Amino acid sequence: MGRVDKFKKDMNFKKGSIGVFDSGFGGLNILKSILKKNSDYDFLYLGDTARVPYGTRSQGVVYEFTKQAVDFLFNQNCKLIILACNTASAEALKKIQQEYLPIRYPQKRVLGVIVPTVEEAVEATKNGRIGVIATEGTVISGAFEKELVKRNPRVKVFSQAAPLIVPLIESSGNSPELIGMILKNYLEPLMKKNIDTLILGCTHYEILENEIRKIVGKKITVLSEGEIVAEKLANYLERHPEIEIELNRNSKRKFYTTDLTDKFVNLGSKFLGEGIKAQKIILN
Ligand code: DGL
């Protein structure tokens, strides 16, 4: 037994879960990929379905809501939280990491989905022209652009807010023609910029990845976040044994939502690829 292990055993330390937070159930899509790669850890998912969408809200409100979610998940003994929501990652993560955690939870960590995706994008691009589609909030925050340029000041970033895609995915019975038309409306302006890499910067978009690939063609590398985040999480846990040691590995899953509707259960199960039983909670 290592020194850290022994210390925690002596302290009667209680191990905990990895929390995954999203504004709704889109994050279940990210969790699906995370589980494929990191299946033995315990996971606790929280979707703020009562207040979704975050993508059209102000930065201040997204920060407050995300902070409440972080409090809830840490109170449930999560040791590490992944903000699967791009809008929360773009508009709340930095402030939470820099101002909130040091005061309230100095031993705990909150990670987002933007940095892992950006790291992959700067590796993938050959011509340095990267497109991003995301919610309005994420695009206005400029978070993808800032992180991309920080890693490679020569890249050119073209961002496109795509506010109709989330409702399109969440409503059933849309014809392939309508889906194609809406996607083309957002993608064609980016294609005209001669991008060679496209970031799908929202939890939901992976669901339409095949349709998006058909429109943009083979010459554009399409990056969706699930697999990237799963890979980076595994890597993070390897590099941070002090966090990893705190995690239970009993493959337990718990699902919480702020509004329990049939839609959450049905669409959520579709996103996760397996049935879910969710419990309703109140965030404040
Ligand atoms: N989960 C959000 C995101 O990834 C999309 C839905 C919303 O607007 O809340 O940005």
Side-chain angles (χ1 to χ4, degrees), residues 20-29 31 44-52 169-171 204 254-281:
V20 176
F21 171 65
D22 182 42
S23 55
F25 43 79
L28 289 164
N29 209 21
L31 180 61
L44 211 155
Y45 182 87
L46 170 62
D48 191 8
T49 38
R51 303 188 294 196
V52 72
I169 291 171
E170 292 194 4
S171 55
H204 287 56
K254 272 191 185 161
F255 300 92
Y256 294 97
T257 172
T258 51
D259 187 16
L260 190 51
T261 57
D262 287 348
K263 188 172 163 187
F264 183 85
V265 175
N266 296 337
L267 212 51
S269 302
K270 184 176 154 198
F271 274 47
L272 187 68
E274 57 185 83
I276 55 172
K277 270 201 194 114
Q279 193 178 318
K280 187 180 165 201
I281 57 117

Side-chain angles (χ1 to χ4, degrees), residues 22-24 26-27 52-56 84-88 135 138 166 201-204:
D22 182 42
S23 55
V52 72
Y54 280 17
T56 48
C85 179
N86 285 261
T87 309
T135 65
T138 301
V166 168
C202 173
T203 45
H204 287 56

Side-chain angles (χ1 to χ4, degrees), residues 71-87:
D71 284 336
F72 173 80
L73 289 168
F74 283 148
N75 283 333
Q76 299 299 308
N77 198 29
C78 286
K79 303 293 180 180
L80 167 71
I81 296 172
I82 314 288
L83 300 184
C85 179
N86 285 261
T87 309

Side-chain angles (χ1 to χ4, degrees), residues 192-211:
K192 284 196 187 124
K193 301 286 183 192
N194 192 28
I195 58 164
D196 73 348
T197 304
L198 173 68
I199 294 176
L200 307 187
C202 173
T203 45
H204 287 56
Y205 299 172
E206 199 170 325
I207 295 273
L208 292 179
E209 190 177 332
N210 288 341
E211 288 79 354

Side-chain angles (χ1 to χ4, degrees), residues 9-255:
K9 189 165 182 274
D10 293 346
M11 298 288 290
N12 209 5
F13 183 81
K14 198 167 169 275
K15 291 188 177 198
S17 316
I18 300 176
V20 176
F21 171 65
D22 182 42
S23 55
F25 43 79
L28 289 164
N29 209 21
I30 307 278
L31 180 61
K32 179 181 169 181
S33 301
I34 291 180
L35 292 179
K36 276 190 199 147
K37 182 88 196 156
N38 309 271
S39 63
D40 39 341
Y41 295 104
D42 290 6
F43 282 91
L44 211 155
Y45 182 87
L46 170 62
D48 191 8
T49 38
R51 303 188 294 196
V52 72
Y54 280 17
T56 48
R57 294 183 187 274
S58 69
Q59 195 259 335
V61 166
V62 172
Y63 174 69
E64 277 311 313
F65 288 178
T66 306
K67 205 168 66 164
Q68 291 167 5
V70 163
D71 284 336
F72 173 80
L73 289 168
F74 283 148
N75 283 333
Q76 299 299 308
N77 198 29
C78 286
K79 303 293 180 180
L80 167 71
I81 296 172
I82 314 288
L83 300 184
C85 179
N86 285 261
T87 309
S89 297
E91 301 195 277
L93 179 62
K94 273 244 152 68
K95 204 168 165 197
I96 284 177
Q97 287 173 331
Q98 291 171 358
E99 296 174 23
Y100 197 53
L101 294 188
I103 298 166
R104 288 292 299 272
Y105 310 100
Q107 308 300 332
K108 304 206 181 186
R109 296 290 173 268
V110 180
L111 307 172
V113 287
I114 291 181
V115 166
T117 311
V118 158
E119 285 172 355
E120 206 65 18
V122 289
E123 291 289 315
T125 185
K126 302 237 163 18
N127 72 0
R129 300 174 75 83
I130 300 174
V132 179
I133 50 169
T135 65
E136 273 171 311
T138 301
V139 168
I140 290 168
S141 77
F144 272 105
E145 191 164 351
K146 275 181 221 146
E147 294 294 339
L148 284 161
V149 171
K150 195 156 92 187
R151 278 161 188 81
N152 181 351
R154 285 191 311 248
V155 295
K156 287 260 171 305
V157 185
F158 304 94
S159 300
Q160 174 72 55
L164 289 179
I165 302 185
V166 168
L168 185 73
I169 291 171
E170 292 194 4
S171 55
S172 55
N174 295 309
S175 68
E177 290 74 30
L178 178 68
I179 295 173
M181 205 171 81
I182 291 174
L183 289 178
K184 273 188 195 147
N185 176 52
Y186 294 132
L187 296 170
E188 279 174 355
L190 293 176
M191 290 157 71
K192 284 196 187 124
K193 301 286 183 192
N194 192 28
I195 58 164
D196 73 348
T197 304
L198 173 68
I199 294 176
L200 307 187
C202 173
T203 45
H204 287 56
Y205 299 172
E206 199 170 325
I207 295 273
L208 292 179
E209 190 177 332
N210 288 341
E211 288 79 354
I212 292 171
R213 280 183 195 277
K214 257 185 227 153
I215 295 170
V216 300
K218 289 205 171 83
K219 286 194 188 133
I220 295 180
T221 305
V222 177
L223 297 178
S224 55
E225 297 176 329
E227 258 181 57
I228 297 173
V229 172
E231 195 68 46
K232 301 273 180 184
L233 173 62
N235 182 276
Y236 178 87
L237 293 175
E238 257 175 52
R239 288 184 290 110
H240 292 275
E242 77 287 1
I243 302 272
E244 205 278 341
I245 200 97
E246 297 188 352
L247 298 171
N248 271 321
R249 303 184 76 153
N250 303 314
S251 303
K252 284 198 181 142
R253 320 300 178 215
K254 272 191 185 161
F255 300 92

